[in-house]
Amino acid sequence: MGNWPGVTVEKKEGRLRGRKDVVIQDLPGIYSLSPYTLEEVVARDYLVGEKPDAILNIVDGTNIERNLYLTTQLIELGLPVVVAVNMMDLVRRNGDEIDLEKLGQALGCQVVSMSALKGEGGMAAAEKAVEAAVAGRAGELPHVFTGSVEHAVAHIEESVSGMVDAGYLRWYAIKLFERDEKVMESLRISPELADHLEAHIADCEAELDDDAESIVTNQRYAYIHGVVSRAVKKKAAAHSLTASDRIDRIVTNRVLALPIFAGIMFLIYAIAMGGWSVSIGTRGTDWANDVLFGEWVPGLFHSILTGVGVAEGTWLYGLIQDGIVAGVGAVLGFVPQILVLCFLLAILEDVGYMARVAFIMDRIFRRFGLSGKSFIPMLVATGCGVPGIMASRTIEQDRDRRMTIMTTGFIPCGAKMPIIGLFAGAVFGNSPLVAVSAFMIGIAAVVISGIMLKKFRIFAGEPAPFVMELPAYHAPAPGNVLRATWERGWSFIRRAGTVILLSSIILWFLMGYGFEGGSFGAVEDMNNSLLAAVGSAVAWIFYPLGWVGENAWKLTCATITGLIAKEEVVNFFGIAFNYAGEADLMEDASGLYPAIAAAFTGLNAYSFMIFNLLCAPCFAAMGAIKREMNNAKWTVGAIGYMCGFAYVVSMIVYQIGGLFTGETTFGVFTAVALVLLAGIIYLLVRKGYQGEAVRNLRSVSAAGI
Amino acid sequence: MPAIFGQILVGAVLLAVVALAVRSLWKTHKSGGHCTGNCGSCKHCRK
Amino acid sequence: MRTLKDAKVGETVTVLRLRGEGAVKRRIMDMGITKGVEIAVRKVAPLGDPMELNLRGYELSVRKADAEMIEIA
């Protein structure tokens, strides 16, 4: 068991290379074994509940004091502990010396050195941990605390000695001394015993004039400070500037920080998303869409299929080419862009810049219940929502990450551009204001949702103090970066092979089949397809949005096909309005303008556009939401919220806007729209959920474990 | 080779692919999703 | 009583006491801000919040709202 620092490595179980009988469980990175964050509770539940044979505690040698704080707590568990001091190469380069032997003696466990960056010592550390596990004996537990605390702890140990596993006795006693509610609950301490323990704790608190939790933390740090001052020789004076600090003086400088941040963000955008010659990501994706999945793969499937006797025009050929290859290909086309983007983000993260991003942007984003790190997903989402949602992975706090995932989809992505372009051209005389307003609506949707949602208990419930370490900058480790890139890229490809594959098949069937001329089969006219039937059946839902008349079902169906990929909306209009031209509608939809102009008024065109910009994103993005939320309820909640919000906003725009243009008269839905508008304003200004005074939350039980 | 064999072959491959996709989804569903390393979104961690 | 929030950039201060209780206080203590520790205030973020501190040989960023809980000499 070890806790590897570096890029957000997923919690994993693995086996030691060459030792099939050794299982290594990697736990999430933590600072302490307090009962307050989920990660810490999970880690200690594992350590106490699963009784691992040994703990391999990997500490950062450049920041040894803070790191040993967790070590002292791990040692108290009574399990064999091996401490591996990582980043030894950097320690040496700084001119510092760490006396591993002295450290080991003081802590009562084995201490070895390693450098994950250079790949040194990792295996040796693991071997040592295996040896310790086989020996199965913990070292002598060091006496970290002063007399009166040790005295109280000894009394508590005596009182509960029969109730817990002997090895864990000291750990339990210290937790009880801290009045750890989770431990008290799990031991089912009787009221009499609790009173007895409380007397000892109160005595000690009175003597030291502080609360028990503070006493323990203070003394732990005091002990470590003593150990470190004996075992570590620092070359530089305390609080002196390291190389990393000197970089930071420029990078997070009060004046330069924002321009540098903007520059780095622009660079990432330019390389991964932009439309220039340096934009490797976009060029890769264009190539994948136009050549790989535009010609090569369909060509390959064509020759294979016709080769084995499946002729063009048969249903099987159509299913494979038009359904699967086209559907899955459209999504896989984004892979180059996603890989480039994930690669760049992994570098930023590994170097240590991500923490600075949060530092710089925190002030703005926390007003909307988001995190400073939410900026990156939002920026990326202007290109494609899928990598945008995936980029939210770097946000540690659950609440901030969930909120970011829920709102990132509101940002108009590249695939929504053809929709905006179509209406701007057909209905609004090519006004550039349409595109600008679409962006404004997207950003406003993020801000409004953030302010509304953060006041709800489910988002406000978790205490999220922004106490964040700013790790020292270091050169990116190629292994870490490549692994992070590949893991994220692969999860996307995997999804294309499952969710997207199945939904492509279903939609192909709905679009191509139906009742025509009294019998069921492939349809010539799409108006007779099952999709049209479904669209007509549910079109009434959108009546309040102004999707009325004989074309209502087309709008509904266009929205449904938009779930495959938003640009499909334009393609669908091409088919539904019997567009006969030759031009690729993605590139030039002007041939479609007359039909669209005839079918829409300005207002319901706008209402349709808003709904499609804000409602549930494409299947690929929904898959990303599911993957990042990793929880069915939250996934459904997020997508439901997006649809609901889109519906409400479109309705308000259509109903209230209609009063001004004279398209609607005051009716039931106008009243509903007004009520909804008032509701949004109320949610924006009301006082948020304050219960349990966030600051005083006693334990994570409120976070819903 | 008569075309019908080819069609059956392609149909069988297609069916196998779809079955694999469904199985993979089902397995993910059963195991409560992938572990993303953040315990807030993990059913196992939440017990 | 002066708190960390009032400390000037470039100043080195000593922690006297922590106010409050529960999760936030524990988190702050866990990160090494305990009684008697010396903290150098490195800088304030471009938008005025949070602030960057140096203590126990590493860099930490804390929101001003949380810094208000830390009493200093």
Side-chain angles (χ1 to χ4, degrees):
Chain A
M1 204 291 301
N3 179 17
W4 304 80
V7 183
T8 344
V9 177
E10 304 199 342
K11 181 181 150 194
K12 276 215 178 91
E13 199 180 273
R15 274 166 203 279
L16 190 59
R17 208 174 302 150
R19 293 287 299 266
K20 290 270 173 271
D21 54 329
V22 179
V23 178
I24 301 178
Q25 172 79 48
D26 185 16
L27 292 183
I30 50 174
Y31 292 114
S32 171
L33 292 180
S34 84
Y36 297 119
T37 71
L38 282 167
E39 282 79 357
E40 287 171 356
V41 172
V42 170
R44 65 187 228 180
D45 279 356
Y46 176 82
L47 292 170
V48 177
E50 307 287 316
K51 294 195 182 121
D53 296 320
I55 301 172
L56 175 56
N57 174 216
I58 296 172
V59 302
D60 175 356
T62 59
N63 177 9
I64 199 154
E65 216 168 303
R66 225 275 335 282
N67 272 264
L68 288 181
Y69 176 70
L70 175 66
T71 309
T72 59
Q73 299 183 51
L74 293 176
I75 290 170
E76 274 155 15
L77 286 164
L79 299 166
V81 175
V82 172
V83 175
V85 182
N86 195 11
M87 310 218 193
M88 271 309 246
D89 49 325
L90 279 175
V91 172
R92 267 180 237 121
R93 201 182 327 143
N94 292 344
D96 299 344
E97 273 173 52
I98 299 178
D99 188 333
L100 299 177
E101 205 151 312
K102 264 190 196 159
L103 207 57
Q105 275 166 11
L107 295 170
C109 64
Q110 291 234 37
V111 182
V112 295
S113 80
M114 67 177 277
S115 166
L117 194 62
K118 298 212 162 149
E120 287 166 12
M123 274 311 272
E127 289 292 344
K128 280 270 187 245
V130 174
E131 271 172 39
V134 172
R137 181 171 41 84
E140 183 75 17
L141 299 185
H143 281 227
V144 171
F145 308 111
T146 57
S148 47
V149 180
E150 289 288 353
H151 178 83
V153 169
H155 271 292
I156 298 173
E157 276 182 12
E158 208 181 307
S159 314
V160 297
S161 64
M163 303 166 70
V164 298
D165 200 299
Y168 290 113
L169 185 57
R170 186 173 165 85
W171 186 80
Y172 273 112
I174 293 170
K175 286 293 151 196
L176 287 172
F177 180 74
E178 289 178 339
R179 296 197 187 89
D180 186 306
E181 283 178 356
K182 291 229 165 277
V183 165
M184 290 207 216
E185 253 168 56
S186 73
L187 291 182
R188 295 202 187 80
I189 301 277
S190 67
E192 302 86 62
L193 183 54
D195 284 345
H196 176 70
L197 299 182
E198 186 58 38
H200 285 295
I201 300 171
D203 273 356
C204 187
E205 283 180 329
E207 193 182 329
L208 296 170
D209 186 30
D210 211 342
D211 64 286
E213 220 174 355
S214 305
I215 293 171
V216 167
T217 314
N218 286 346
Q219 297 203 355
R220 231 187 255 290
Y221 265 113
Y223 175 78
I224 295 162
H225 189 75
V227 170
V228 168
S229 58
R230 266 175 284 141
V232 181
K233 273 201 203 94
K234 288 249 181 202
K235 197 178 161 204
H239 305 309
S240 63
L241 294 179
T242 62
S244 172
D245 293 335
R246 275 192 284 274
I247 298 174
D248 240 356
R249 277 181 89 169
I250 300 167
V251 174
T252 56
N253 178 291
R254 266 205 106 143
V255 183
L256 292 176
L258 288 174
I260 290 175
F261 173 68
I264 291 175
M265 288 304 127
F266 178 76
L267 209 66
I268 289 183
Y269 183 82
I271 294 174
M273 296 288 164
W276 303 285
S277 53
V278 289
S279 312
I280 315 170
T282 309
R283 284 160 68 102
T285 287
D286 285 349
W287 175 82
N289 279 334
D290 298 344
V291 183
L292 186 61
F293 295 107
E295 293 166 18
W296 293 2
V297 175
L300 182 72
F301 272 87
H302 177 80
S303 41
I304 292 176
L305 289 175
T306 49
V308 297
V310 179
E312 205 167 341
T314 59
W315 69 270
L316 196 54
Y317 184 94
L319 169 61
I320 291 174
Q321 285 285 47
D322 305 335
I324 299 173
V325 174
V328 174
V331 172
L332 283 183
F334 286 112
V335 167
Q337 211 163 38
I338 287 170
L339 287 180
V340 170
L341 187 91
C342 288
F343 178 75
L344 295 174
L345 291 181
I347 290 179
L348 279 195
E349 195 173 2
D350 203 36
V351 164
Y353 188 69
M354 276 300 188
R356 272 76 185 182
V357 170
F359 179 70
I360 295 168
M361 299 303 286
D362 179 65
R363 178 81 193 255
I364 301 177
F365 277 86
R366 77 164 193 255
R367 301 191 83 113
F368 320 135
L370 300 170
S371 143
K373 290 184 184 174
S374 306
F375 183 83
I376 292 165
M378 304 275 166
L379 178 87
V380 169
T382 58
C384 173
V386 174
I389 291 162
M390 285 162 73
S392 69
R393 179 85 61 87
T394 56
I395 302 168
E396 294 92 8
Q397 267 131 11
D398 276 344
R399 179 195 98 139
D400 297 355
R401 194 182 51 251
R402 288 199 186 118
M403 198 93 106
T404 307
I405 295 170
M406 282 176 94
T407 50
T408 298
F410 289 143
I411 302 288
C413 70
K416 289 171 185 169
M417 288 302 138
I419 306 179
I420 299 170
L422 175 68
F423 287 108
V427 187
F428 299 105
N430 270 325
S431 164
L433 285 177
V434 179
V436 174
S437 72
F439 262 96
M440 289 302 164
I441 288 169
I443 293 166
V446 173
V447 171
I448 292 172
S449 301
I451 296 176
M452 285 194 315
L453 292 177
K454 77 168 182 183
K455 293 175 181 164
F456 283 95
R457 188 185 163 158
I458 195 156
F459 283 106
E462 290 166 60
F466 186 77
V467 186
M468 182 184 65
E469 184 180 352
L470 295 171
Y473 289 107
H474 61 84
N480 276 352
V481 172
L482 291 178
R483 192 177 53 226
T485 309
W486 173 244
E487 267 174 15
R488 289 171 202 188
W490 174 242
S491 77
F492 180 75
I493 295 169
R494 221 182 99 92
R495 198 164 46 235
T498 53
V499 181
I500 310 290
L501 179 88
L502 297 178
S503 46
S504 300
I505 293 174
I506 293 168
L507 218 69
W508 169 84
F509 177 72
L510 290 179
M511 273 169 84
Y513 286 79
F515 291 94
E516 201 167 45
S519 64
F520 184 80
V523 289
E524 287 286 319
D525 183 354
M526 215 178 46
N527 289 339
N528 295 326
S529 68
L530 288 174
L531 186 68
V534 173
S536 311
V538 298
W540 57 270
I541 295 174
F542 298 103
Y543 176 77
L545 308 192
W547 305 8
V548 288
E550 53 171 332
N551 287 323
W553 74 268
K554 291 180 183 168
L555 275 60
T556 311
C557 289
T559 307
I560 298 172
T561 51
L563 297 178
I564 306 179
K566 288 289 167 178
E567 65 263 37
E568 286 294 320
V569 169
V570 177
N571 270 342
F572 180 84
F573 280 143
I575 302 166
F577 289 104
N578 299 317
Y579 173 65
E582 289 293 313
D584 180 353
L585 289 175
M586 290 305 112
E587 313 282 331
D588 174 20
S590 53
L592 197 54
Y593 288 178
I596 296 288
F600 286 89
T601 66
L603 198 59
N604 67 13
Y606 207 69
S607 141
F608 177 80
M609 196 178 84
I610 292 178
F611 186 80
N612 270 280
L613 294 185
L614 300 182
C615 79
C618 61
F619 284 130
M622 284 194 246
I625 291 175
K626 179 174 179 299
R627 158 97 187 164
E628 295 309 318
M629 291 284 193
N630 211 5
N631 173 315
K633 251 192 257 160
W634 276 101
T635 308
V636 173
I639 295 168
Y641 172 76
M642 294 171 83
C643 293
F645 187 76
Y647 189 87
V648 168
V649 172
S650 304
M651 182 166 160
I652 290 172
V653 167
Y654 179 75
Q655 293 294 343
I656 296 174
L659 290 180
F660 292 98
T661 63
E663 253 171 80
T664 56
T665 48
F666 198 92
V668 181
F669 290 117
T670 329
V672 174
L674 282 170
V675 169
L676 288 171
L677 185 62
I680 289 179
I681 292 170
Y682 166 72
L683 286 176
L684 284 178
V685 297
R686 78 165 176 145
K687 218 163 140 60
Y689 169 81
Q690 303 276 327
E692 291 179 66
V694 178
R695 252 156 216 293
N696 295 326
L697 221 70
R698 269 302 298 180
S699 79
V700 274
S701 57
I705 320 179
Chain B
M1 185 172 72
I4 187 74
F5 287 124
Q7 284 165 20
I8 291 170
L9 184 74
V10 172
V13 170
L14 188 70
L15 221 65
V17 168
V18 170
L20 275 175
V22 172
R23 204 191 77 157
S24 156
L25 278 179
W26 179 245
K27 265 169 71 181
T28 318
H29 176 74
K30 274 295 226 189
S31 67
H34 308 276
C35 192
T36 57
N38 63 74
C39 295
S41 60
C42 182
K43 280 172 202 152
H44 300 297
C45 301
R46 283 169 174 262
K47 293 229 172 93
Chain C
M1 195 75 224
R2 223 156 79 89
T3 67
L4 188 61
K5 191 186 167 210
D6 314 314
K8 304 245 164 0
V9 173
E11 212 179 333
T12 300
V13 299
T14 309
V15 174
L16 282 185
R17 210 174 74 86
L18 292 167
R19 288 182 200 154
E21 58 164 19
V24 176
K25 184 183 181 188
R26 174 66 185 260
R27 169 106 285 174
I28 289 172
M29 290 194 300
D30 279 346
M31 298 306 275
I33 303 182
T34 54
K35 222 188 262 183
V37 77
E38 272 197 354
I39 299 177
V41 180
R42 275 283 150 81
K43 65 167 81 77
V44 173
L47 299 165
D49 197 17
M51 52 206 296
E52 183 183 337
L53 314 171
N54 177 280
L55 68 146
R56 299 189 188 273
Y58 82 108
E59 310 287 316
L60 185 68
S61 98
V62 178
R63 277 186 190 156
K64 285 197 164 162
D66 298 328
E68 221 173 350
M69 299 169 67
I70 303 163
E71 290 179 5
I72 55 165

